[in-house]
Amino acid sequence: MQTNLKIYNSLTGQKELFKPLIPKHVGMYVCGPTVYSNVHLGNVRTFISFDVIYRYLKFLGYKVRYVRNITDAGHLEDDSNEDKISKKARLEKLEPMEIVQQYTIDFHKVLDLVNNLPPDIEPTATGHIIEQIETTKDILKKGYAYESNGSIYFDVLKYNAEIDKYGKLSGRNIEDMIANTRTLEGQDEKRNPQDFALWKKASPQHIMRWSSPWGEGFPGWHMECTVMSTKYLGEQFDIHGGGMDLKFPHHECEIAQGKTANGVDPVKYWMHANMLTLNGKKMSKSTGNHLLPQEIFSGDNTLLSKAYSPAVVRFFMLQAHYRNMLDLSEDALQAAEKAYKKLMEAVKILPDLPQSEKSSEDVAALIESFYEAMNDDFNTPILIARLFEAVRLINSVKDGKASLTKADKQQLQNALNQFAFEVLGLHHTAQDAATHQAFDKTIQLLIDIRNNARAEKNWALSDQIRDELARFGIQLKDGKDGTTYSFK
Ligand code: AMP
Ligand code: ZN
């Protein structure tokens, strides 16, 4: 087992050598989606980032328990007291659990398309109401929460004075927070604007509600992650992840709740994935600045000229390090598509290359560099650059300008399979990619035949090709740069 994996810990702001709490085992918790609408590509990026982390830990031989929750209650609309799922259910006149079901299915479908592995446990907030009430009671009993008009709030100032610094993860301090607070509607129940809800009283029109010692209500959003991570991974576990935007207040509150309830810091390594932007701005559900996965896979959008496959989208995302921002653009997707095809082609031709007595390059060192890239805080862009050194070598051997021994060829093939498919999860198999390429070439051939038919004014044939393809769900678009296709 490789042991020199370094992880950037958001809590310390440093890359640290990874040492799990229990040797050879890793407990990892990642905040899942709030299932009140379709996941957008920004969400998908975060889940791909953690999928690669999960894959690499497993690849190194760790026994990983990966827990990723489904938030199906408790996540409030900003600046309001209404639960996001309840609100959607009210607006669409559906049961909240219909909303939850619809978008959970969508979420799983999308992650499956981009070849993410499912987590080991996928608990829901509504499935853990009892645990959330118990932990709230515990924090109340310890004196770090108070009841106000049927809701329970966490006492941030008391925690900050007696237990630990509130703001240590996000690098904020409580004095600044107090100085910068604006008073929001409905916050007068709190002793202090920084206090957050462990439990909220349900107003009469609030649909999702449970009985509690404090009357009917629903749990606060931060509480679900504390109880589900504790239940399945223990009071202390190795890795907690999520998007950068969850650092404050969500993860800060999780630390405060966990440390108050259990007396220990819940997480050893905090990891935060950076945002996907569109037109330079964060992709987000609430602002409408987003692209849905289906829109990009089908080409049915106004931003891009054609469709991009899930494999290309995944590859595009992995070309950036998970801690860097990434902007989605046509140019970047096109470049990713080209590079992805080149990589797949090289993997495909490698087994059929001639073999020599001597290798012209140090293949073992090249393979070692794959590990080095991933051991350096899961640096996927560096890994991809190293994979392209292998691509160059393969193409040079093909052109007779370099050589590989039989053993080196086999080693390289194994390493490419491991790192491109098992670790980066680029596609199920090289065969799938080859099939995709063959499909693409077949459609291009039909486009060429149709163009020839049009040049010869054979309208019957050109229409037949267009109409039959449309029948199979493939739409041809004639533009000034030629004909392109997309999936309807
Ligand atoms: P939500 O369903 O809004 O709770 O978000 C689910 C996950 O997606 C969280 O980890 C967010 O931090 C993450 N996320 C939201 N927007 C983006 C974005 N534009 N880029 C990357 N991750 C995002
Ligand atoms: Zn969470």
Side-chain angles (χ1 to χ4, degrees), residues 33-34 40 42-43 46-47 243 245-246 274-276 282-283 285:
T34 307
H40 59 68
N43 305 130
T46 285
F47 297 119
D245 56 342
L246 298 188
N274 215 329
M275 298 291 111
L276 182 69
K282 181 190 163 190
M283 265 204 203
K285 282 174 203 169

Side-chain angles (χ1 to χ4, degrees), residues 31 225 250 254:
C31 294
C225 288
H250 185 53
E254 277 190 51

Side-chain angles (χ1 to χ4, degrees), residues 296-315:
I296 195 166
F297 303 154
S298 68
D300 189 10
N301 64 73
T302 52
L303 288 157
L304 306 168
S305 68
K306 65 187 224 37
Y308 292 91
S309 73
V312 167
V313 171
R314 183 177 180 100
F315 184 80

Side-chain angles (χ1 to χ4, degrees), residues 454 476-484:
R454 276 159 40 130
L476 298 185
K477 274 190 206 133
D478 298 313
K480 57 179 185 320
D481 299 326
T483 306
T484 55

